[in-house]
Structures are given as structure tokens and as C-alpha cells.
Amino acid sequence: MCSRTALILMCTHLLVSGYESDQWPVVELGAANISGECSMPFLAVGDQCLYFATFAEVTYEEARQMCHSLNGELAVILTATRLKNIIDYLYDNGLSAKSLWIDGSDQATEGEWRTSFGEAIPMGTPFFPPGEPNDLGGDEDCLELMDAFFFQFNDRPCTVFRHPMCEQQWDVAQTERASPEELDCPPFFVSVGGLCLAFMTWAEETWADARQACHGMSGELAAITDIEQLRAIYLYVHQEGIDGHSFWVGGSDAATEGVWTWRDGQPVTMGSPFWGFQKASLLEPDGGTAENCLLLKANGAHYFRDASCSLLMTPLCMTPK
């Protein structure tokens, strides 16, 4: 737990660094153990204890030192659920315009991204957007959550200035959460992410005909309601070598423009990290009335994309729950 002395030293550092008092972090001494587990000044975000140093923009190494001064480390994000929890927190708390340093670097070996504790950084959907990390300019060796990328991962030169996102040190070492139970699925369906899914790579159909194809297998177009399901599908199609297919899933806004629902009427989760983007600061869906059906697009890294329902794509079916 942080002592009063540590807080006084932090404030002195801010004063000599030229920060105005209204830029300093708000820390209430009576707010210790906010979640029952997190120590001041960390806050509970999902199952992590995090501190967002929005008063300071520093280099990657300076960000690490700041976290160390709080008995923490730059935050580690190894699961899709934790990424979504953090993204939701940033948007819910008015922090959507601030890019953040997190724990991850390929400084030791180019292209081999690891945390300071040695864990491999997860690649691809829903962590990185398509084309990233790209080592632009040959010196992008540190990891950020980039505001213009809707807080997906991005590689960045370690010398640029970003806001530190610290994690309470005892909770830094993360592991992938327990895998979903392996399901006993019918023929042509496989257990992926806690769902029984059929990847109908032998067929290309319009969205409406894809639904009929699923019905013929006593199923329905898949509903992806948990970010870990999307991650599991992404990994599966790459492991099986079928990542060149784009897959229809069961979401649509044909009934009411802009209101995306699954076939059972439940809302489709909007925003990052489910939905992809075509360019920075423009998140899908963006096709208006011309694109009313939900697609996991091959050249869009299988993020959610809105598309014309008349396109011929591969059905992704699931068994009824």
C-alpha cells in the first residue's frame, strides 16, 4: 500500500516537473481497498487493479519507472476479456482521447513481443488491428493502446510520449483464463470458444441463404456475444488454414437501421474491440442502409464488419443453445 510519504514525494515530483495542481492525480487517502483488494491509488477494472496516470505524458521507460514508484508495473493485457474491460472503462470515464503505454516490447528480439515478465503478447484479433505491429520506420519497439485505433494495440517508438497505465504489481503476472469446456458437438460442428460451430467452407451464400444453410443443419447463423468467443474463432480459422474465408454471422440491422441484433433479438455488442475499422478514427459499422448484415471479413482480420447482405460468403453456423 502507498504511504503518505510516497504520495508527498509524488506531488513534489509533479511540482518540480511543471504540472499545474489541477493536472495532478486525484487520490483520496480514505479510498484504500476500493475493490476490497486494490491498494490506493489503484482502481478495480474488471479483475485488475489499475491506475491511469492521465496527468503525465512520458516515454515508455519513464512510464515504467512511474509504475514502479507505485509498487506496480505497466499493465499487462493477455486476455481479450481484460482488453474489453479496459476499453469499456476508458470510454465510460471520458478517457477516449488518451493513448496509453502498456507492458510489451520487442526490443530484445525484433518481432518477438513479450511483457517485462516474459509472457508472449497475443497477436491478431481482437488485440491488434490488421497490419499491426508494422515497425514503421524501423524503431517501433514498445506497446501502446492507441486512441485513434479505438484502444487496440499498436507498436510505437519507445521515446514518444504517452500516458502510463499501471497495474498493481501482485496482479501483474497474468495467464490465459481457463479454456471453455470442450463440448460434444454433432457432425460438422466443432467446439470453439464454448460454442458448437460449423465453418461451411464448401458453400458461398448470400446472408439469407446462409441462414437457410444453417437451418438445414439444425442450426442458426452464429451469435458471438463474448469477446473470448471472437478470439477463439480467430485462432481456430488460422490454426485450421481457413482464414482466407469471410464468414456470415447472425447479426443484422435490417429491421431498424443502426440497431444491430442477433437472430434471437439480443443486441449485438457495439464498439471496440468487437468491431474493426477501415482507417484510424472511423469505427465500423459505416455502410448505412447499403450494409445491413454482419460479416467476419478475411481481409479485415475477422473483426465484425457490416456488409451488403447480397454478397456471397461462407456461413458460420452454431447449434441452438
Side-chain angles (χ1 to χ4, degrees):
M1 180 178 294
C2 295
S3 67
R4 290 177 181 268
T5 301
L7 291 173
I8 291 170
L9 290 173
M10 178 189 291
C11 292
T12 302
H13 167 75
L14 294 171
L15 182 61
V16 300
S17 300
Y19 290 102
E20 300 295 333
S21 61
D22 60 1
Q23 295 177 288
W24 296 9
V26 176
V27 179
E28 297 181 9
L29 291 175
N33 298 319
I34 295 169
S35 71
E37 297 180 352
C38 299
S39 299
M40 182 183 62
F42 296 91
L43 301 173
V45 178
D47 63 351
Q48 293 176 277
C49 294
L50 302 178
Y51 177 66
F52 301 85
T54 55
F55 64 94
E57 288 188 285
V58 295
T59 68
Y60 182 82
E61 291 302 328
E62 289 169 343
R64 288 198 68 200
Q65 188 280 325
M66 181 181 291
C67 294
H68 295 167
S69 73
L70 297 172
N71 293 319
E73 180 56 89
L74 282 174
V76 178
I77 305 173
L78 299 182
T79 70
T81 297
R82 287 186 169 181
L83 176 61
K84 184 179 187 303
N85 288 339
I86 290 168
I87 291 173
D88 288 347
Y89 180 90
L90 292 170
Y91 281 105
D92 290 346
N93 289 276
L95 302 178
S96 60
K98 299 182 183 297
S99 293
L100 303 158
W101 285 129
I102 59 174
D103 191 353
S105 171
D106 71 343
Q107 288 176 304
T109 304
E110 177 60 36
E112 185 175 311
W113 286 85
R114 294 192 175 276
T115 72
S116 57
F117 289 84
E119 302 103 332
I121 298 294
M123 309 304 288
T125 304
F127 299 95
F128 283 96
E132 297 290 348
N134 61 4
D135 196 31
L136 185 65
D139 65 345
E140 294 193 326
D141 296 326
C142 290
L143 198 60
E144 68 171 347
L145 295 183
M146 186 174 176
D147 58 345
F149 284 1
F150 305 95
F151 297 107
Q152 291 171 26
F153 291 1
N154 182 53
D155 55 337
R156 183 67 72 177
C158 304
T159 54
V160 305
F161 295 91
R162 293 290 183 261
H163 300 283
M165 181 169 70
C166 305
E167 181 172 1
Q168 191 168 328
Q169 196 161 3
W170 58 264
D171 195 36
V172 167
Q174 300 182 80
T175 57
E176 293 282 351
R177 74 177 187 178
S179 299
E181 178 185 357
E182 192 76 12
L183 302 178
D184 184 14
C185 299
F188 297 107
F189 288 83
V190 292
S191 179
V192 178
L195 302 172
C196 284
L197 299 177
F199 299 80
M200 296 181 64
T201 54
W202 58 89
E204 288 190 337
E205 310 284 357
T206 67
W207 188 83
D209 288 343
R211 283 200 71 202
Q212 291 300 316
C214 291
H215 294 169
M217 298 179 68
S218 300
E220 179 56 273
L221 281 176
I224 304 169
T225 58
D226 185 285
I227 195 61
E228 297 292 349
Q229 294 169 350
L230 182 62
R231 174 64 175 174
I233 290 169
Y234 172 84
L235 293 175
Y236 180 85
V237 299
H238 281 265
Q239 289 164 359
E240 294 294 314
I242 58 174
D243 51 293
H245 290 265
S246 295
F247 296 95
W248 284 129
V249 292
S252 172
D253 73 340
T256 303
E257 175 60 31
V259 180
W260 287 84
T261 59
W262 302 109
R263 300 313 304 163
D264 63 1
Q266 295 300 308
V268 173
T269 304
M270 306 304 293
S272 183
F274 281 92
W275 291 80
F277 57 90
Q278 297 292 353
K279 58 183 180 180
S281 302
L282 182 61
L283 189 67
E284 298 214 29
D286 62 356
T289 57
E291 298 183 346
N292 292 326
C293 291
L294 193 57
L295 185 68
L296 304 183
K297 193 174 180 180
N299 64 1
H302 296 99
Y303 283 96
F304 288 4
R305 312 277 176 174
D306 56 337
S308 169
C309 303
S310 63
L311 295 177
L312 299 179
M313 298 296 176
T314 301
L316 177 55
C317 310
M318 64 182 291
T319 58
K321 294 183 179 181

